[in-house]
Amino acid sequence: MSHAEDAPQPPKVLTTPLEISAHLRMLQESHDPLIITFHERSQRFQSYLVEVDRDTATLAFDEMIPRDGERFLEAGEPFRVEGFHDGVRIAWECTTQLTIDDKDGHRCYHGALPTEIVYHQRRNAFRAALKLADLVNVKVDGDKIKFPLEGKLLDVSATGCKLRFEGDVSERLQLGQVYERFNAALPFGPMTTPVELRYLHFEERLNITFAGMRFHNMSGGVQRQVERFVYQLQRDARRFDKDDDY
């Protein structure tokens, strides 16, 4: 690979509805995690895009993690959204009021598509920030499942995680169900904890099932393991972020 290819490109501002919806749909379909920051606050929240509709110029975000960010959203505070897809940073400002919806027990926030997004091709090194998560194998097992399901960890926070399974496993899992034995092979040792299934979606085009789990009755020891892993991922992400400033 040439150095020119590896060098950071200047950010582009995209303003056509076609370009904007295409890039946001890419984030949605790949289930890429989004970081949300409110202008006056230092805390970072996480969400996902669950809907992008160019015809109605609307989008919908998944429930925020941690959920207490909702009160800033309800107060109409503007926020910034940032996601990464294959080393491309996609960011935009959200200055319009969002509506909160609880459909089929699944919480999401509806609002208008942005009128512009920043598209920034980063150095390929950014992918290394996610390499820890990429390597983590997971297994979901419990009394309510016939055979353990094996998959990959996509993303993790202190309260839960997003998983990926090959093929359509949606028939084998039940929303709201607690699975007593969730195992994740973290880099510094395996962890086991009960989890509750909060989100389930089979993406036919990719032949992949995405699942969102909330940690359930975690022990202090497991909590510390998760916090250590989250901290390690954030530290790596920050380090690659810093590299990109030069």
Side-chain angles (χ1 to χ4, degrees):
M1 189 184 288
S2 73
H3 286 298
E5 234 182 292
D6 214 20
Q9 305 294 312
K12 296 177 196 158
V13 177
L14 308 179
T15 54
T16 72
L18 181 67
E19 287 178 309
I20 290 169
S21 58
H23 285 94
L24 296 191
R25 197 167 285 123
M26 187 172 69
L27 289 173
Q28 178 200 347
E29 289 176 353
S30 304
H31 214 63
D32 294 314
L34 304 176
I35 299 297
I36 290 178
T37 42
F38 289 90
H39 291 197
E40 306 296 315
R41 306 177 187 283
S42 57
Q43 192 178 0
R44 290 148 67 97
F45 300 91
Q46 186 179 291
S47 185
Y48 292 83
L49 278 174
V50 289
E51 206 176 282
V52 176
D53 190 332
R54 184 161 68 98
D55 297 335
T56 58
T58 57
L59 52 71
F61 295 98
D62 197 6
E63 180 180 333
M64 240 187 268
I65 303 170
R67 187 156 150 186
D68 53 4
E70 253 183 41
R71 62 178 190 273
F72 310 135
L73 193 130
E74 281 179 300
E77 291 190 23
F79 58 88
R80 181 173 187 77
V81 186
E82 187 175 33
F84 291 92
H85 182 84
D86 281 349
V88 175
R89 174 176 170 267
I90 296 170
W92 68 97
E93 299 286 334
C94 195
T95 52
T96 55
Q97 181 77 46
L98 274 72
T99 56
I100 299 176
D101 180 21
D102 229 329
K103 199 168 62 185
D104 307 325
H106 193 67
R107 204 164 181 80
C108 55
Y109 320 121
H110 296 271
L113 278 183
T115 52
E116 62 174 50
I117 60 173
V118 176
Y119 175 96
H120 192 185
Q121 177 73 53
R122 319 277 289 230
R123 247 190 242 131
N124 291 337
F126 181 78
R127 287 189 193 180
L130 300 173
K131 73 176 188 293
L132 273 172
D134 288 345
L135 296 176
V136 174
N137 290 315
V138 296
K139 189 188 284 184
V140 178
D141 195 5
D143 301 340
K144 294 284 195 302
I145 191 168
K146 276 187 182 158
F147 308 104
L149 273 180
E150 296 190 2
K152 292 278 185 191
L153 186 70
L154 273 185
D155 187 53
V156 64
S157 73
T159 55
C161 57
K162 301 273 173 174
L163 312 176
R164 188 184 89 185
F165 301 97
E166 294 300 322
D168 185 359
V169 300
S170 54
E171 295 295 308
R172 296 172 58 186
L173 293 167
Q174 177 69 46
L175 277 175
Q177 184 64 58
V178 172
Y179 297 97
E180 299 85 353
R181 294 179 294 284
F182 167 75
N183 298 298
L186 299 186
F188 36 77
M191 63 161 267
T192 304
T193 187
V195 289
E196 179 193 353
L197 181 63
R198 302 281 302 190
Y199 173 84
L200 189 62
H201 173 65
F202 172 58
E203 186 60 62
E204 206 169 339
R205 199 178 54 84
L206 303 171
N207 194 31
I208 283 171
T209 304
F210 295 105
M213 298 289 187
R214 180 165 287 178
F215 297 132
H216 187 79
N217 293 344
M218 262 173 129
S219 70
V222 172
Q223 182 83 48
R224 283 190 291 278
Q225 268 183 302
V226 170
E227 282 167 3
R228 180 179 165 192
F229 185 52
V230 170
Y231 173 72
Q232 202 167 336
L233 284 175
Q234 286 172 341
R235 195 181 53 193
D236 282 3
R238 270 200 301 273
R239 194 168 70 229
F240 287 106
D241 229 19
K242 228 181 246 132
D243 288 351
D244 208 65
D245 294 339
Y246 297 108

